[in-house]
Amino acid sequence: MLHDPELSYKLRLHNLHYNLCIVLSFQMPGPHLLLVVVAVCLIKTASGFANGKVSLSCGDMTPRHGHDSSSKPAPYNITLDKHTFSPGDRITVTLRVVPTSGSIHFKGFLIEARDAGNPDGPAVGSFSLLNPSESQLLHCDHTQGSAVSHTSKSKKTEIQAVWEAPKTPPSGVQFMATVVQKYKVYWVQIPGPVVSLNGATGVPPPNPTPTTTTTAAVTATLSALTRPFSSEGCGRSKSCLRDPVGCDPGRDPLCFFLSFTPEERTVLFELSGPADGYLSFALSLDKWMGNDDVYLCVRDGDSVDINAAYVSGRAHPEFASENVLSDTAWQLADGVIQCRFRRDILLPRQIESRFSLDQSYFLFIAHGRAEDGVIYRHDRQPLISTHQTVITGLPENLAGSRSPLLIKFHGVFMLVAWMTTVTTGVIIARYFKHDWPETRLFGRRLWFQVHRALMTLTVLLTCVGFSLPFIYRGGWSRHAGSHPYLGCTVMALSFIQPIMALLRPATDSSRRYIFNWMHLGTGTIARVLAVVAIFLGIQQQALLLPGPWSTGVLAGCVVWGVLVDLLLEFHSKVVIVTGRTLAEDEDKILGTHSDSERQRKVSRFKKIVLAVFLVGNVGFLSVLLNTIRNV
């Protein structure tokens, strides 16, 4: 029902922190405000400021977003049309995006004028509006119109208002602005120029310097990468984790690439890959997501935010309260996100949840969707290094996999069971009953023993394969769609079949036909559902086989079995019809039967078809198993 991505993010935080009251401000859309307040206030009181009515923030000018103000230089400035004033004068105040900053908009703002000698004091003077559709007046410190804020979270590049000096003004007035770029990124009390009262003495001179300094600093901070990414030096001067193996981010736009180069006191990290919203990597003590040190490159419009975070359990990343990264740089090109930064090998003890880089970790690379800087669940299973590595250790080429070992075995067992053993067992039972009428194994006819052995193996493989995802997930998978439901149905039918076979009536029983139809029907339904589940399974994040050719190979394996079944069925019907005719002709001409010779020919043909089927089936299966091994 609630479609706003930032709202969804805040609701997830609410679920994770239980009774934590989410305070909404600046960006929460008006139509959703009541719903959020009612939901949250069942536990604690919350307030929302989507419509810019931020009077509670008049004093310290700080949004109630639950995040700290950005430590980066603000990409916005304040300009005035004059720098001296007299009581009652009107000054046009303009808040705009710094043209060279790389930022393209802001959503929320709060503008005030303060006594330059007491910037923490109350607002002075009053404002009037020039953009009433995008700005509104606030009542701060018992003065109507003493501040200006936004009316909605629409994207803005410039806003203007007119400030009117009070009758008894201070000798100097400084303008300040708090600007919200997105919910988690904002700047508090950006200093603007100081205007002086005409005739006053000892007043700080008009000072537009912050604008110049901010512009230069932002340009340096948000500059694009000057040195292109490359796999050159992997294994020699830096360690690299790549997918596909051996790819070069400088040549292959589909290459997921992570490199790290130890330096004297820092480590240089480079991350590149195709992603719509964000690209990230994590340091982990195991191959399970949770309690990991995470670094994210999140696209927000035409810029990229580079942040450190920490994941506790399978929860949303918690962004670091202190900036631990330096020399950050990024680049966007053709759907590829690239970012580079440095981090100290050892960090002060007061910075919690950050791993020391002189230890051994597994490496994760993940990517996914992001909107307005808010990230969502990764699109694919993360690429995970096959073994731990010391970040500051000797350079090496690291191998990785996107599929956990337990899930790989799950796929292997199900493919062998439902593509090979069950198909072969059905063919043996259906078409080879009369080929070995006197041949026995352990006191039972050979065809029955082979059929029973193959079906027992099918049930065992299915049982083991069925349990592996539950062991890996620790429960039910909520993101696998209908695949687990089909798997549970197949597992149930696999148990029913042998129970039904144990309770079957005698061959000459009048109820035998009921068993025959039920056994055939249950087995056929199980095979069809298993095939559908396997097709869905190779599209799951945990075992995503490269497509579309892998889907084609699987389809070829299924079609190959169906064609062999149809060929043997057609051959059996023809043999029945032609066998009667030939027998009658031979009786007339030769006066004798040659049934044994015809039976040998028929049996030889079926054996050849079975051998050809097994060769083809094993060929298809080998391709699929090798693909799973390399995922």
Side-chain angles (χ1 to χ4, degrees), residues 319-358:
F319 288 92
S321 58
E322 297 187 42
N323 185 22
V324 297
L325 309 180
S326 61
D327 300 330
T328 57
W330 55 266
Q331 178 172 288
L332 291 172
D334 300 324
V336 176
I337 297 177
Q338 294 184 332
C339 57
R340 176 185 291 134
F341 59 87
R342 284 181 169 86
R343 209 213 84 175
D344 289 344
I345 296 174
L346 301 175
L347 295 173
R349 290 184 178 179
Q350 60 267 28
I351 300 180
E352 300 179 356
S353 304
R354 299 269 74 83
F355 291 175
S356 297
L357 300 184
D358 57 354

Side-chain angles (χ1 to χ4, degrees), residues 11 38 45 67 99 105 153 173 191 201 223 252 287 434 441 446 483 555 557 589 617 621:
L11 288 176
V38 170
T45 302
H67 296 271
H105 65 264
K153 69 168 190 173
V173 174
T201 58
S223 60
D252 183 3
K287 289 190 174 183
H434 306 293
L441 180 65
L446 179 61
H483 176 74
C557 186
I589 299 172
N617 181 273
L621 189 65

Side-chain angles (χ1 to χ4, degrees), residues 4-17:
D4 181 63
E6 293 169 353
L7 178 57
S8 299
Y9 169 66
K10 289 188 277 290
L11 288 176
R12 285 195 299 271
L13 285 178
H14 174 74
N15 292 331
L16 293 170
H17 298 333

Side-chain angles (χ1 to χ4, degrees), residues 208-480:
T209 304
T211 300
T212 305
T213 303
T214 299
T215 302
V218 169
T219 302
T221 301
L222 299 180
S223 60
L225 299 173
T226 57
R227 178 163 56 87
F229 277 31
S230 172
S231 61
E232 184 178 354
C234 286
R236 299 191 307 273
S237 60
K238 60 185 178 182
S239 296
C240 300
L241 176 61
R242 292 174 280 180
D243 181 32
V245 176
C247 67
D248 186 347
R251 297 192 182 99
D252 183 3
L254 300 179
C255 178
F256 288 93
F257 175 85
L258 169 65
S259 73
F260 45 96
T261 308
E263 299 172 334
E264 184 176 354
R265 294 187 177 182
T266 63
V267 174
L268 174 65
F269 291 95
E270 294 181 325
L271 184 63
S272 175
D276 294 330
Y278 73 92
L279 188 64
S280 66
F281 76 91
L283 308 178
S284 180
L285 297 173
D286 51 40
K287 289 190 174 183
W288 300 85
M289 294 182 63
N291 304 322
D292 303 327
D293 195 4
V294 182
Y295 300 87
L296 301 109
C297 302
V298 184
R299 180 171 183 172
D300 187 12
D302 293 329
S303 63
V304 174
D305 292 333
I306 304 175
N307 297 291
Y310 185 77
V311 174
S312 178
R314 295 196 174 189
H316 202 278
E318 301 172 13
F319 288 92
S321 58
E322 297 187 42
N323 185 22
V324 297
L325 309 180
S326 61
D327 300 330
T328 57
W330 55 266
Q331 178 172 288
L332 291 172
D334 300 324
V336 176
I337 297 177
Q338 294 184 332
C339 57
R340 176 185 291 134
F341 59 87
R342 284 181 169 86
R343 209 213 84 175
D344 289 344
I345 296 174
L346 301 175
L347 295 173
R349 290 184 178 179
Q350 60 267 28
I351 300 180
E352 300 179 356
S353 304
R354 299 269 74 83
F355 291 175
S356 297
L357 300 184
D358 57 354
Q359 303 298 315
S360 180
Y361 305 104
F362 288 101
L363 296 168
F364 287 58
I365 298 179
H367 68 285
R369 185 170 58 91
E371 291 182 13
D372 293 332
V374 178
I375 67 173
Y376 291 81
R377 186 175 184 268
H378 45 76
D379 292 335
R380 293 179 60 188
Q381 187 78 7
L383 177 68
I384 306 174
S385 60
T386 54
H387 63 274
Q388 289 184 317
T389 184
V390 179
I391 305 301
T392 55
L394 295 175
E396 58 180 318
N397 274 308
L398 301 168
S401 173
R402 290 190 181 274
S403 180
L405 188 61
L406 289 178
I407 300 301
K408 286 186 175 183
F409 276 113
H410 166 72
V412 169
F413 289 161
M414 291 304 186
L415 280 171
V416 173
W418 295 97
M419 292 293 108
T420 299
T421 60
V422 75
T423 307
T424 307
V426 168
I427 289 175
I428 293 294
R430 187 172 296 173
Y431 303 109
F432 285 85
K433 283 184 179 180
H434 306 293
D435 287 32
W436 306 308
E438 303 301 329
T439 307
R440 293 182 175 270
L441 180 65
F442 301 116
R444 303 298 294 268
R445 284 183 291 180
L446 179 61
W447 74 266
F448 179 78
Q449 295 288 48
V450 173
H451 171 74
R452 184 164 61 177
L454 289 172
M455 291 310 181
T456 301
L457 181 58
T458 298
V459 174
L460 291 175
L461 289 173
T462 303
C463 288
V464 176
F466 177 81
S467 65
L468 294 180
F470 289 95
I471 296 173
Y472 171 72
R473 297 287 183 187
W476 187 264
S477 175
R478 299 190 304 271
H479 304 286

